[in-house]
Amino acid sequence: MSIAAVAHRHVFGYKGDVNNSIAYLDEQTVIYPVGHNSVLYNTESKLQKFIPVTEKCEAITAMAVSVNKRYIAIAERGEKPLCALYDLHTLRRRKTLSTMETESKDFVCIAFSADAKYILTQTGAPDWTLYYWSWEKAKVMASVKTTNLPGDRNAAGRSGAGTGGEVVVGSTTALAMAAGRETGLGSAVYQVSFNPSDNTQLCVIGNGIFKLFRYQEGLLKLFSIQKMEPKNFLSHCWAAGDRIIVGTEDGKILIFEANGELKAEIAHGQGPAATPRSITTLLAYSKGFICGGSKGSIAIYDRNEDGAGTSLPGAAGQLSGRDIYRKVKELSLSDENSKVTNMALSPSEDNLVATTETNQIYALMLAGTEVKGEESRFEMFSQPFHHGQITGCDTCIRKPLVVTCSTDRSVRVWNYLDSTSELVKYFPEEAFSVAIHPSGLYILVGFSDKLRLMNLLIDDIRTFREFTIRGCRECRFSNGGQYFAAVHGNTIQIYSTWNFENLGNLKGHNGKVRSLFWTQDDSRIVSAGLDGAIYDWALRDLTGSGGSGIKREGESILKSCNYTCAIATGDGRSIFAVGSDKTLKEITDSQIIREQESDVVLTQVILSQSGRMMFVGTANGTIRSMKFPLSNEPGEFQEHQAHSAPITKLRVSFDDQYLFSTSEDGALYVFKISDKEGRGLKRDREIVYADEILVTKSDLEEKNSTMAELKTRVEELKMENEYQLRLKDMNFNEKIKEVTEKFMQEIEALKITSTVLRTDKEKEEVRHEEEMGEERERHARELSELETVHNAKLMAEYERYQELQGRTTELQSQWERQMREMQAAKEKALAELTAHFETRVREKQAEIDQLQLELHNQYLEFTETTRETEQDADTEILDIKHRYEKKLKEEREIGLRLKGENGIMRKKFNTLNSEIDAHKTEIGKMFNEEKKLHGVIKSLEKDIAGLKKEIQERDETIQDKEKRIYDLKKKNQELEKFKFVLDYKIKELKRQIEPREQDIQGMTHQIKEMDVELEHYHKANSNLELTIADLKLKLRAAEKEVAKEHARVKAFAATVKRFKVDLNECVQYIQEPKLLKTHVKNLYQKYCQAADPASLLTSTSTSSTALAPASTITDVQQEYARQREHLERTVASLRRKVTKDQNIHRADNVRIMGENVSLIKEINQLRRDLKGTRAREKAAEIALKHNKTLEMDGRASVGEARMEVLRMSAKGAASPSYAPAIRSGPVRGTHPTTEASTLEKLRDGGAGALESVDKAPPDGAVLLAPEGRGYARIAYASSSADAMNVFLDLIWHVVLNGGEQVPRPRHC
């Protein structure tokens, strides 16, 4: 059990919603975010390095790279906003900045200072606070709220008290604030930055926000006031000279000085018509700045070095933007409908990269931007990426390809070895799912209307076959490639890849199927759906029709879980599934044997081809490498940061070297799989990838013809060039000769001129030497004169210096003398002041003593006055007490009344407070709704722009259609010429059609008649069914009667059995006549005279009732005969009716088949119904016959016995003492033969016994019916002693002699 190691290798994608999301580190390396990673991409080696986010990160929100390219700051969204700083040389984290004081969850923008020592972080809603950090100490230097929301109007003033007021554009009047509340101005911050030359100055812009802060005394203070119309400021940058370039939504570029003064304004437009474009990003460079905006527009502005800066009329001190900057280049992206969001410039300023809101990165060489020419266009930086949720992903075996589809309506084929995009194809509708054939030559793509099988050509993806499967959300090729399975609603359809035959449909899911998996031998399919069901389908034989070889062998249903993915091991014994319940389940034999819980929802699971590694994708976008096989303990895994949204697909390459993951963020990650020590997995054999590609015959022929034409053209151009070269050589030779002759003549002329000039030069040299001698002499004279003058001046200055030095000495001595005098005067004044103040202190002490004496006298006086005052006060107090007690009672009454009113007012106050809280809550809700409505307004504005474009396109379409209408009118005039001829032909055809219409009406009438007959047949069939039901009821009654008869037979059998037992006892005395006679008499008395009426044939004990059995039997036989005749008549009538119906039907069928072939199906149905009726009738007849046969057989012995009794009664043996007796039992005797032989005689002697009935005397009858297993049924009737002899003879013949006619001895 081990955990496989996974390393990031490459990623295809870009996260476009990150602020400042792209930057150059050097000339070859660019950094940008993808999912939960920051990618360092080398443009030369095409290699990538990854910086993952911290744990519990929800998304990357902003990035910033220091000016020295040493550090990067990455802002992450979480429970609290976090900013992680990394060293770009080691890719290790240096610091993590976070604050607990904010209610926001993210930093919307961040910025480094120029020296990379400080960093700014701006939080988002609801507080919008700017933090000023010393990041190496992880210390917040200062913070301030930056938005203009009503609750935060004075926040900036509190932070920057005493600095001069607000700098919010448009916030100086109440009208501007009202406008901001209505339009959302002042509610969001987009960008913050440092002044590159002053770390203490900051700039903040946003929706209606333009603020400049300065860091002073531990606070961020606003400075400078700028009054102007409120705007939505989208971006800004610091240009040379500490100027701030600000871009607005309405296409204005504002240029501010560092003190916040508006210097100039530029109206930014694109194209010849100067169409306004919103400015979404600004980038400064050495010559000026670059701005990017909507509609894929980019413009380059350079400083105007020659402009002196003339003032605009009516704006004192404000310059025209064109006097400061001039537009030198206009550029546009290939995707003109997207908005440029970020830009970055290489350190040498030769390369520019730009990102768009559709998650694409474009690059441009800036080396030739100074040269004006045609409009330039950007190229893709590496390859185009998905800009929507990736819904499908698959990989093949024979090629290093991965195919993906997305909600951006594109299907892309990637080469994961070369890290390139092989093919990109856009479709008019969204692709829901995709699968690639193991050969890498075909793909399946599911659209909303159909499932399409496509060929991967060298430069295109073309449809080859379409299947009527709507909204196919999942499809997979088998591992062998001979089959593919596709989901159609709740049904899985399996097709042959080669003949496109539907081999079977897998039905069972009640919800949408979200996962399909083929086992390695393609003998099983595992499916999982949102209905909580996982089914294991066995595909034993797919060659038959109707899916007869498909069987569901296993199932696991858990309604509480919506499964998103299910896979199986190579042998198909174990299934692993993940769903919405945050668990990984292992299912074996339709039972969940193991569950591993997780802290997040697991969306995908995949096993390696070797079956030794398992990977799981989560809803957070992370990938977990699980410890496999799974254990009963909590799961061990290694988690790797990848995507920023839930993972939609996971795939492993056939050689287990690479892991592929896709997500809703539109990124495709490629991971390298290795063992725990980081070594690559061993391969059984090296896989050689195929190089072949598909090319259509028409394209190949076209390219061959083009190549032939080009070769011919090349040959012609060679010949033409050679001819032109020969002509040029001849011309050049002639020109060389002319030029040579001309140059020779000029050389001769120059030689002559040179000789003349040389002579002049020598003359000039002689004259120059003479002049130089004269100048030297004059210079020497002037030099001596100047030396004399300067020596005189130096002597005068030296004398003056000596004089000044003497005066300085005198002043020094005078100053020292004055200092001594001032010191003496100071000491004298100090002594005088000391004596004066001591005199005053003594005077003040005397005054204090006098005042203390006066104070004592006044105290005595006060005491006396107090005593008198108290006496007067007591009387006044009594009066005041009575007066105030009365007033107190009144005040108490007033107080009670006020308390009641106060209670009422307190209730009202509480009610008002609750109402105020409710209103505050409603105001918050309304504010949130306002934000939502603003978002809706923006989306609607986008829709309006799209609709305007659509209207323009439709106008163009209308113009094209009007042209077509004009052409069609011309054609219509020509067609009218044929109208007369066609009308005539139509009339002729109508005349021919009228007889046929009459025939059709006649046939319609016949069809109606046949419908009436058909209803008649239905009624007849209903009547027959009722008749059959009656017969079934009668049959049931007959069965009940048969059951009663069987009960009677059983009673008779019991009597015979008892008689056999007694008879066996009599046989024991067969050698003793007396005892035998006694026992036989007892037997006679027991069974003939004292028999139980219930055991007789018709339950009677007297001679008067002896005839009852005969009458009952007669009634029964008559009833059965009557019923049989009735049934036979019914059956005969039914047969006649059926025969008649057959004849009618046959004739009608022949006639109908001749008249109208369309009624054949209904007639065949009637025939089948008729055959069914016949079969049921025959079955009823056979059942009746069979029941009658069984009934007659069951009552054979009883019926024959009854017939014998009737015959003996007719011969006069029916006296009152006559009584038949029946008893059954085992036959035993003392005959020398064994019991077995006796049983065989009883078993085989039935026929002889029946013959003995005819030979019996007139007054006796006996019946012996063998029943097998040693038992016999004997019926006996007698009225005299002769009957006893007959009975004994019968016993002798049947029991002892096997039915032979041997005379019985008289003594026996």
Side-chain angles (χ1 to χ4, degrees), residues 862-1012:
F862 171 74
T863 305
E864 183 65 24
T865 305
T866 303
R867 185 178 59 77
E868 293 175 358
T869 304
E870 286 177 353
Q871 291 176 356
D872 296 337
D874 289 337
T875 57
E876 290 180 2
I877 286 169
L878 291 174
D879 296 337
I880 292 169
K881 182 178 180 181
H882 293 297
R883 186 170 65 252
Y884 278 100
E885 283 180 354
K886 183 178 181 182
K887 190 174 182 180
L888 181 62
K889 290 180 181 179
E890 296 176 355
E891 291 295 333
R892 282 178 179 175
E893 293 176 357
I894 294 170
L896 292 173
R897 186 171 67 252
L898 290 175
K899 282 183 180 179
E901 293 176 356
N902 190 21
I904 296 169
M905 294 301 291
R906 187 177 289 109
K907 290 181 181 178
K908 290 183 179 179
F909 178 73
N910 294 331
T911 306
L912 291 173
N913 280 335
S914 61
E915 291 178 358
I916 289 168
D917 294 336
H919 284 301
K920 286 182 179 178
T921 306
E922 291 179 359
I923 289 168
K925 291 180 180 178
M926 295 296 289
F927 184 70
N928 294 330
E929 290 179 0
E930 184 182 4
K931 285 185 177 179
K932 293 179 182 178
L933 291 174
H934 281 302
V936 173
I937 289 168
K938 289 183 180 179
S939 63
L940 291 175
E941 287 175 354
K942 292 181 181 178
D943 294 341
I944 289 169
L947 291 173
K948 285 181 179 179
K949 184 178 179 182
E950 186 176 356
I951 289 168
Q952 185 178 358
E953 292 175 354
R954 290 191 178 181
D955 289 338
E956 294 174 358
T957 306
I958 289 168
Q959 291 177 1
D960 295 337
K961 289 190 175 182
E962 285 178 352
K963 292 179 181 178
R964 190 176 178 186
I965 289 168
Y966 178 72
D967 296 335
L968 290 173
K969 285 181 179 179
K970 287 185 177 179
K971 291 182 180 180
N972 192 19
Q973 291 176 359
E974 294 177 359
L975 292 172
E976 284 179 356
K977 297 178 182 179
F978 299 101
K979 184 178 180 182
F980 179 76
V981 178
L982 294 175
D983 289 338
Y984 179 76
K985 289 183 179 180
I986 289 168
K987 291 179 182 179
E988 291 294 331
L989 291 173
K990 283 183 178 179
R991 290 174 189 159
Q992 296 176 4
I993 289 169
E994 285 178 358
R996 295 190 180 181
E997 288 181 348
Q998 293 177 0
D999 296 339
I1000 289 170
Q1001 291 177 358
M1003 291 180 182
T1004 305
H1005 182 67
Q1006 291 177 359
I1007 290 169
K1008 290 180 180 179
E1009 292 178 353
M1010 291 175 65
D1011 289 337
V1012 175

Side-chain angles (χ1 to χ4, degrees), residues 455-466:
N455 292 329
L456 295 180
L457 305 180
I458 186 172
D459 57 356
D460 194 13
I461 301 175
R462 295 187 185 176
T463 302
F464 176 67
R465 181 80 177 209
E466 294 183 344

